[in-house]
Amino acid sequence: MIEGARRLSRQHITVRVPWHDTGWTGHVCAAPCANTSCLALARIAKGKRPDEDKHAGEAFETMAAADLPPCVEERAGFLSGHDLILKKEHPYKTRSPETHGHFGETTLRFEAYSAACIPFGWMLRRQVEGDERLGLVGKADALRLGYDAAREPDLPFDTSWVQDKRNQLVMLDTFFGALEPEGSLCVFYAKRTPLAEDQRRVIVGVGRVKGVHDMAQHRISRIGGRCRYGASFGRVAPRC
């Protein structure tokens, strides 16, 4: 655990997943284009392709990266019995090459029966630093963490996310350090399902956390590149 992080008492966790018509088995839906509930997630709505039906039922692990449906990036295969290898590019690499162009393609391996976890509320600066206008107390002050807003870089574009590597690790180590193997629960939920008209979140599964894997960070592709900014990924392996 990095200096500045804090060991909290045991916490539970929620993980958002898209709706899947055959039970999140690590395969493409049986009828991808008929699944409109998954469109509740913006990334899927933006990336869904009309030709996905030709890959219906195929295993993610056997597909070419270009053919994978966008739901793969939203944990559509959570807890499936197959490993999944994904290639990640930093989202700011092309948007701001002068500040993030040194980040290279990073390979992530998601083990069978695990689920990817990104703690959005712990990476948003407003949630971390607070907002006096809204009367919002930030997590960093509330938990007395070693987060330093002065370390956050001035970037040539607007972003809502924590950018400094050390600040990220303070928040992520505190978050994941509160997950207790065999003691913490992991609740999986979908924003929309075809089984209910209610627009509230729907729980689709509950597991017990078996362990927390190490975090992976984007690889530096340029020799001598300085990794001040970073994106870390955390994974949990819950048991149903």
Side-chain angles (χ1 to χ4, degrees), residues 161-178:
W161 304 99
V162 174
Q163 295 294 309
D164 179 76
K165 177 183 176 181
R166 184 175 180 83
N167 282 341
Q168 286 186 350
L169 291 175
V170 166
M171 302 308 299
L172 291 170
D173 280 358
T174 301
F175 176 85
F176 286 107

Side-chain angles (χ1 to χ4, degrees), residues 24 38 47 49 52 57 76 87 101 114 121 139 152 223 225 227 229 238:
W24 304 279
C38 66
R49 304 186 306 272
E52 287 179 14
K87 304 288 187 180
S114 69
K139 286 183 172 64
E152 289 298 302
I223 296 176
C227 184
Y229 323 125

Side-chain angles (χ1 to χ4, degrees), residues 99-100 102-103 148-155 162-168 217 220 225-231:
T99 59
H100 290 76
H102 58 287
F103 286 111
D148 186 356
R151 287 199 294 255
E152 289 298 302
D154 291 323
L155 298 176
V162 174
Q163 295 294 309
D164 179 76
K165 177 183 176 181
R166 184 175 180 83
N167 282 341
Q168 286 186 350
Q217 299 180 41
I220 303 298
R226 297 183 62 190
C227 184
R228 183 185 176 192
Y229 323 125

